[in-house]
Amino acid sequence: MEVMKRLIYLFLLIGFSFSLFRFSEDGMEVMKRLIYLFLLIGFSFSLFRFSEDGMEVMERLIYLFRKFNQLKVSNEEYACMKAINFLNQDIRGLTNVSQLEQLNKRYWYVCQDYTEFRYTHQPKRFPELMMCLPEIRYIAGKMVNVPLEQLPLLFKAVLHSCKSSITKE
């Protein structure tokens, strides 16, 4: 129902701008600005409806993206971090924790060897990468509390923020 009200309002604004300027270039410019304004108001309104968990997830994802961007994480490092994170032995209900821990350590050492070999001039790179893992796990845990219908808009906002921060650099 709320969406219908917004669409009707948008059509009224467009109709008003058309009748006011009769399809002149100025009228088209005013119409464009009204549409952008309407979209911005709609986006802001839906942004304020995010839960506290949603806002926290968004802030932490943006922080994590900037950290990955700053470190210039390679595909190999990213794959190792995914494996280490996937092989998390802290999950409740696991039956063979020791085997999972051994696999986790194996990927941990592979990632460490790779970063020390590839980035000899950055001795603190591996610890910085591994410091991202608790943040990733925390975000994953918080995302469960965000309503499913808010996730697409949340990800879009994060991607837009990250995209604009890349272009500024």
Side-chain angles (χ1 to χ4, degrees):
M1 190 63 173
E2 182 68 29
V3 173
M4 280 304 282
K5 287 180 184 176
R6 289 181 184 180
L7 285 174
I8 291 170
Y9 182 67
L10 176 63
F11 287 125
L12 288 174
L13 284 173
I14 292 170
F16 173 74
S17 65
F18 275 154
S19 66
L20 189 62
F21 292 100
R22 302 182 200 266
F23 297 100
S24 67
E25 281 187 40
D26 290 338
M28 294 304 282
E29 188 62 33
V30 167
M31 185 183 75
K32 254 190 341 190
R33 290 181 190 266
L34 284 173
I35 291 172
Y36 290 146
L37 178 65
F38 180 76
L39 292 173
L40 180 64
I41 290 170
F43 177 73
S44 300
F45 179 72
S46 57
L47 188 63
F48 290 121
R49 292 190 337 206
F50 277 142
S51 63
E52 273 188 48
D53 288 331
M55 292 301 288
E56 184 179 5
V57 165
M58 190 176 355
E59 289 170 6
R60 286 177 175 256
L61 277 172
I62 291 169
Y63 165 78
L64 194 60
F65 171 82
R66 288 184 177 146
K67 184 72 174 171
F68 273 37
N69 194 31
Q70 171 199 357
L71 290 171
K72 295 182 179 25
V73 176
S74 70
N75 289 338
E76 294 82 6
E77 291 168 324
Y78 178 69
C80 284
M81 287 178 72
K82 279 176 68 171
I84 291 168
N85 201 35
F86 180 71
L87 298 170
N88 182 7
Q89 64 270 12
D90 297 333
I91 298 172
R92 288 184 214 137
L94 295 176
T95 55
N96 199 348
V97 175
S98 62
Q99 186 179 12
L100 196 61
E101 189 175 356
Q102 287 175 346
L103 284 170
N104 187 306
K105 282 182 182 179
R106 188 177 304 163
Y107 280 99
W108 185 281
Y109 291 134
V110 165
C111 188
Q112 185 176 12
D113 290 344
Y114 175 80
T115 54
E116 288 174 357
F117 174 76
R118 178 93 191 261
Y119 303 97
T120 54
H121 59 283
Q122 296 178 12
K124 294 184 179 182
R125 182 175 181 83
F126 179 72
E128 286 180 357
L129 285 172
M130 293 303 109
M131 289 302 296
C132 294
L133 289 176
E135 187 72 17
I136 292 169
R137 290 177 181 153
Y138 181 82
I139 292 169
K142 279 290 190 178
M143 284 181 83
V144 175
N145 300 330
V146 177
L148 191 59
E149 64 273 1
Q150 288 183 357
L151 286 177
L153 183 59
L154 184 138
F155 288 133
K156 189 172 184 175
V158 169
L159 288 173
H160 177 72
S161 175
C162 295
K163 185 179 172 184
S164 63
S165 71
I166 287 176
T167 56
K168 288 179 183 175
E169 294 174 355

